[in-house]
Amino acid sequence: MSDGMVITVGVLGGTGKEGSGLAMRWALQGYRVIIGSRDAERAATRAAELNEQIGGDYIIGLGNDDAAQQAEIVVLSVPYSAHKPTLEGVKPHLDGKILVDVTVPLQPPKVRTVHLPPGQAAALEAQSLLGDAVRVVSAFQNVSAVKLKKTDTDVECDVLVTGDDDDAKQQVIRLVEAAGMRGIDAGPLANAVAIEALTPVLLYINKAYGIKSSGIRITGIE
């Protein structure tokens, strides 16, 4: 929240596991949350399911265009294969806004091996496609969806936040805190290359150790 005003967050890909977990957590903290999908009916159905889970009429579901248009902060949580087409579709609605890119450039079936996309990072590709009128911030790539959906507990994971606009990063760090995690300013958007690449490493660790929710902690910060 800012100056007592309710902030509208649009989660594109909010019908998926990570997007829906974040949507529920933000809705419970008083944000106005819209989940977006290519299929508006699917988004509305999923919003109703999420509202039932958290016991209230908090979240609405719309098509991606409408969700992006109404939101002040847009969160992109889609598979990498849908990253570019989704951005191209909503680009007219993003000027002057913050785009939080959660996308990881996984390359199935080798999702436990680091894959660098042509633009080095999904977030860098988003910034290049959208232009300087949109403030792209990279965050949430290393958080387990299993933990996010347990909305009554804090998540034992730090969130590395990168971006080239300091104010935008601070706004996203507040979103991180609202979702029950600690946000860490991890530098410019170029550093998203390393952070996105951590996700397949964590997926490998999950399989190697028979767990589902490995995460990261930054030590030495009080």
Side-chain angles (χ1 to χ4, degrees), residues 55-215:
D57 190 17
Y58 300 107
I59 301 169
I60 63 174
L62 299 171
N64 281 334
D65 277 358
D66 289 331
Q69 188 172 26
Q70 292 189 30
E72 295 157 89
I73 299 176
V74 177
V75 179
L76 183 63
S77 178
V78 298
Y80 182 64
S81 59
H83 185 254
K84 183 177 180 180
T86 302
L87 287 173
E88 288 175 337
V90 300
K91 182 178 179 180
H93 309 302
L94 297 180
D95 279 6
K97 298 180 180 181
I98 295 171
L99 176 85
V100 185
D101 200 339
V102 185
T103 309
V104 176
L106 299 176
Q107 191 174 44
K110 298 180 179 180
V111 297
R112 298 176 187 88
T113 300
V114 174
H115 167 68
L116 295 182
Q120 300 300 303
L124 291 172
E125 292 179 336
Q127 187 69 81
S128 177
L129 189 155
L130 297 173
D132 294 339
V134 182
R135 296 180 289 170
V136 175
V137 176
S138 174
F140 298 109
Q141 290 89 353
N142 310 138
V143 183
S144 167
V146 173
K147 291 182 176 180
L148 287 175
K149 68 181 181 181
K150 297 177 181 178
T151 56
D152 58 343
T153 60
D154 286 346
V155 179
E156 294 181 0
C157 180
D158 289 334
V159 175
L160 302 180
V161 179
T162 65
D164 295 330
D165 183 288
D166 287 339
D167 175 69
K169 280 194 291 186
Q170 290 305 311
Q171 290 193 53
V172 174
I173 286 173
R174 287 195 287 273
L175 276 180
V176 173
E177 293 169 348
M181 291 163 279
R182 183 174 68 163
I184 304 292
D185 184 342
L189 196 63
N191 288 355
V193 176
I195 297 164
E196 292 177 12
L198 279 174
T199 297
V201 175
L202 293 173
L203 291 175
Y204 182 92
I205 290 170
N206 285 347
K207 184 177 182 182
Y209 290 88
I211 58 177
K212 295 183 178 179
S213 55
S214 61

Side-chain angles (χ1 to χ4, degrees), residues 22-31 33 54-55 58-59 151-152 178:
L22 289 169
M24 288 191 292
R25 285 173 171 268
W26 289 326
L28 288 169
Q29 292 301 313
Y31 288 83
V33 179
I54 58 180
Y58 300 107
I59 301 169
T151 56
D152 58 343

